[in-house]
Amino acid sequence: MKTWFITGTSRGFGREWTQAALERGDRVAATARNPDRLNDLVEQFSDQILPLRLDVSDRAAALAAVQAAHKHFGQLDVIVNNAGYGLFGAIEEVSEAEARAQIETNLFGALWVTQAALPYLRSQGSGHILQVSSLGGIGAFPMLGLYNASKWGLEGFSEALSQEVASFGVKVTIIEPGGFSTDWSGSSAVHAAQIADYDSLRNARATRNAGVKISDPTASSAAILKLVDAENPPLRLLLGTFATQAAPQIYEQRLKVWTEWQDVARAVDGD
C-alpha cells in the first residue's frame, strides 16, 4: 500500500489518478481549491482519502498541506504535482497579471509542494515525485508561450532535482502528456485579450489542432500505476500516441539545426 499526495484532484488527471490509487487500496491526500468536489470519493473510500483545500501558489499553504498529510498518514510515498492550467495567448497579448499567475501556479506551485515533501522523503530514504509537465515542456507552440515557459521551468528544476536526491533513494519522473480530453483547454483555461493581427495564426493553429489524436485520461491511470510500482522508473514518460510521435520530431529538428550550424558554433573557440 502506497500513500499519495496529489494536487489538482477535482478533475482531469488528478481525479483519475486519485480514484485509481484508491481503488487498488492505496491512500491519498487529495488536494483541490474546492475539496467539496471530492465528497463522492470520501463517501466511497472513507479513511483511505484525506481531502485538503490547497491553492498551490500559496507556499505557506503548500507546506501546511504536506505536513497535515504526513501527520495524518504517517508516510508519503508518491508526490504528484498535477495542479495547473493553460494560458492561451500570443506573447504580446498576455498581461503581466496573467503571466505571473501562470508561473505562480504551474511552476512555483510544483516547487513549493516539492520542497515541502522532500524532508519527509529524505528522512524515510524513499519516495517518488511525479511532475506533470506536457509535450509543451519539450517544444513550444504558438499561443501557448507562457504555458510553455512554466513547463520548461518545471522540466529544468525537476531534472536537476533528480540528480540531487538520487542518493537519498528518492526518484523523480517528469510526465509529458500529449493531447488528452481533460479540462485543460476548457473551463479551467485562461484566454488573453486578443490582438487582431494574430488571428490568422490563431485560426491556422486551431485547424491543425483539430487533427490531433486526443487520448482518454481514464486510460492513463494504468500507466501511472505501473510507473510508481517500477523499481527503476524513467526520468521522463511520454503519455499518448501524439506525444510519442511529436517528441522525436522536435528533437530531430533541433539536432538537424545544431549540426548545420556547428561550424559557426565552434568558430568561437578561436582554434
Side-chain angles (χ1 to χ4, degrees):
M1 182 176 63
K2 289 182 167 62
T3 301
W4 302 55
F5 183 97
I6 307 178
T7 66
T9 61
S10 63
R11 51 190 169 182
F13 286 131
R15 172 79 181 204
E16 296 292 344
W17 301 347
T18 294
Q19 186 157 344
L22 292 169
E23 286 176 346
R24 75 171 194 169
D26 289 354
R27 304 179 300 183
V28 181
T31 80
R33 287 175 178 262
N34 181 7
D36 290 344
R37 293 182 175 179
L38 303 171
N39 286 346
D40 61 321
L41 294 181
V42 173
E43 183 177 348
Q44 182 178 359
F45 295 100
S46 186
D47 294 341
Q48 280 180 251
I49 182 171
L50 174 66
L52 295 167
R53 186 181 305 277
L54 177 61
D55 175 352
V56 295
S57 66
D58 182 338
R59 186 174 189 271
L63 293 170
V66 172
Q67 183 181 48
H70 187 270
K71 182 178 180 180
H72 183 82
F73 288 125
Q75 184 162 332
L76 296 173
D77 302 301
V78 183
I79 309 298
V80 183
N81 280 307
N82 166 71
Y85 67 94
L87 171 59
F88 291 79
I91 296 300
E92 186 181 356
E93 294 172 334
V94 174
S95 71
E96 178 181 353
E98 289 167 338
R100 290 185 181 278
Q102 177 80 135
I103 300 299
E104 288 285 353
T105 298
N106 291 10
L107 176 58
F108 283 119
L111 176 60
W112 305 148
V113 171
T114 298
Q115 289 182 332
L118 281 172
Y120 300 111
L121 305 186
R122 280 193 295 105
S123 177
Q124 66 195 26
S126 64
H128 194 174
I129 300 173
L130 276 55
Q131 311 283 42
V132 181
S133 180
S134 165
L135 180 63
I138 300 172
F141 305 99
M143 307 301 153
L144 283 169
L146 264 296
Y147 176 79
N148 294 142
S150 71
K151 294 303 187 181
W152 284 42
L154 175 65
E155 297 240 354
F157 93 67
S158 298
E159 185 167 336
L161 173 69
S162 70
Q163 299 168 59
E164 295 166 355
V165 300
S167 65
F168 305 131
V170 178
K171 303 177 176 77
V172 178
T173 298
I174 304 166
I175 300 172
E176 298 162 332
F180 277 81
S181 56
T182 65
D183 195 45
W184 172 78
S185 60
S187 61
S188 66
V190 172
H191 294 264
Q194 297 181 0
I195 297 172
D197 285 351
Y198 292 101
D199 285 350
S200 59
L201 177 60
R202 202 180 336 268
N203 294 335
R205 182 69 186 165
T207 299
R208 286 195 297 271
N209 287 345
V212 171
K213 178 176 174 57
I214 302 300
S215 301
D216 180 4
T218 303
S220 69
S221 297
I224 297 304
L225 294 180
K226 185 174 182 179
L227 173 68
V228 301
D229 289 341
E231 183 176 350
N232 296 301
L235 173 60
R236 287 182 168 83
L237 176 66
L238 294 166
L239 284 186
T241 299
F242 177 61
T244 61
Q245 292 173 342
Q249 294 174 7
I250 291 170
Y251 279 101
E252 287 167 6
Q253 179 61 26
R254 287 178 184 166
L255 287 168
K256 179 176 181 292
V257 173
W258 286 332
T259 300
E260 289 173 350
W261 284 84
Q262 66 180 342
D263 290 344
V264 175
R266 292 174 176 174
V268 303
D269 295 335
D271 296 336

